[in-house]
Each structure stands twice: as C-alpha cells, then as structure tokens.
Amino acid sequence: MRSLLKDWKWPAVAVAVSAFMLAAAHAFETFGGLPPCPLCLRQREVYWALIAMTLTGLVLWRWIPKRRFLVALNMMIGLVFVVGVVVAFYHSGVEWGLLPPPDGCSGEGVIDPMAIQDFSKPMHVPSCTDAPFYILGLSMAGWNGVVSAIMALFSFVAAGATFRGAVHSPEAA
C-alpha cells in the first residue's frame, strides 16, 4: 500500500476508483433499473471532474516531473474527494429527512430534459428523498460518501508521502 501512495501511482489509483464508482452507478441504472435522481447525478459529476483533472495533471506532470507539482495534484485530488463527501452526505441527509431537498428533487412534475422520449407525455424524475435500499444502514449515497472520505484521506496521505519522498520521473517509472 505504501508504494501506491508515492509518485504517479496514487493519481492513477484515484482515477481507477473514480471510474469504478461511475461504472457501478451506471450498472445500477442500466441493469438494476434504478434511474438517478438529480443529487445522484451531482455525485457522478464529482467523479467525472476528478478523472478529467487528474488525467490532465498526469499529462502535465509527464512534461514537468517536479515533486511539488505531484504534491499539489494529490492535494487537489483530496479536495475534490472532499467535495464528493459533502455532496454524498448532503444527499444522505436529504434521504433521512434531516436536510431539505433542493428544488427539482421532489420527483413530482419535474421533466428530465435528457430523457429521449415522447415529449408530449409527462416524464418522471426519481425523488432525491427516496433511497432504493440500505446496506448496513447506509444508502448508495452514504456509501459513496464513505468511499470519497477514504479516498480523500489517502490522497492527503499521498501528498505528504510525495512531499517527503523522492518522486521518480515518468521515464524512470
């Protein structure tokens, strides 16, 4: 595990975990018949942003293989995962009725402009307040928050490990 926290490996792990989380969400939607609510889509946006930012950072690091650049990239990855924690736990709070849902999350009378259907018929968007199921007391949003929190923590640890250790250039890796 220690070797994954140094050099370019941690950003690659962060991209892989983000891609896995997106694939799992799309699998629940496609194969499980669980259409996403607006807050579910917001959680996915965090992973898409992280993947784009991290891949861009790794390409730039290939041209500028400096340790401080990689430290900054790992810190930014950690901060994006913190955003994921906030969005996921907000969604969990909405599901538990602890927080008010944002506009458009009631599931009543809202039209999904991305659905390709007959626009003369009413369309249904799932409510942000209804969790489809719970595992060990947490909904999918709650587990998403747990994964994001763990990834944020490891990202900050990776930034510290990279700051203290030598970074190998991309050519040496």
Side-chain angles (χ1 to χ4, degrees):
M1 180 66 177
R2 236 175 144 166
S3 67
L4 288 178
L5 296 176
K6 287 187 177 181
D7 304 333
W8 58 271
K9 293 175 191 165
W10 181 252
V13 168
V15 167
V17 168
S18 297
F20 172 80
M21 294 298 285
L22 285 169
H26 288 290
F28 276 111
E29 179 181 350
T30 304
F31 305 115
L34 299 173
C37 72
L39 284 176
C40 293
L41 294 174
R42 204 50 88 198
Q43 291 174 77
R44 292 181 193 183
E45 289 172 3
V46 173
Y47 289 118
W48 284 114
L50 188 132
I51 290 170
M53 177 198 74
T54 304
L55 291 178
T56 302
L58 286 172
V59 167
L60 291 174
W61 182 70
R62 182 127 175 102
W63 289 333
I64 312 164
K66 300 209 181 274
R67 181 178 355 166
R68 64 182 165 182
F69 182 84
L70 201 53
V71 170
L73 180 60
N74 284 333
M75 289 296 291
M76 288 172 39
I77 290 168
L79 291 173
V80 172
F81 276 123
V82 168
V83 170
V85 170
V86 171
V87 173
F89 285 147
Y90 173 71
H91 189 181
S92 294
V94 168
E95 290 173 340
W96 284 97
L98 302 172
L99 299 168
D103 291 339
C105 278
S106 66
E108 299 173 12
V110 179
I111 295 175
D112 179 9
M114 301 308 287
I116 300 175
Q117 298 178 3
D118 182 4
F119 287 114
S120 63
K121 295 180 183 177
M123 292 183 242
H124 175 72
V125 174
S127 172
C128 297
T129 60
D130 301 329
F133 58 85
Y134 291 89
I135 299 173
L136 299 175
L138 292 177
S139 65
M140 288 192 295
W143 283 110
N144 185 24
V146 169
V147 169
S148 291
I150 291 168
M151 293 301 290
L153 176 69
F154 279 122
S155 296
F156 296 133
V157 170
T162 302
F163 180 74
R164 288 185 301 279
V167 175
H168 302 294
S169 67
E171 293 80 28

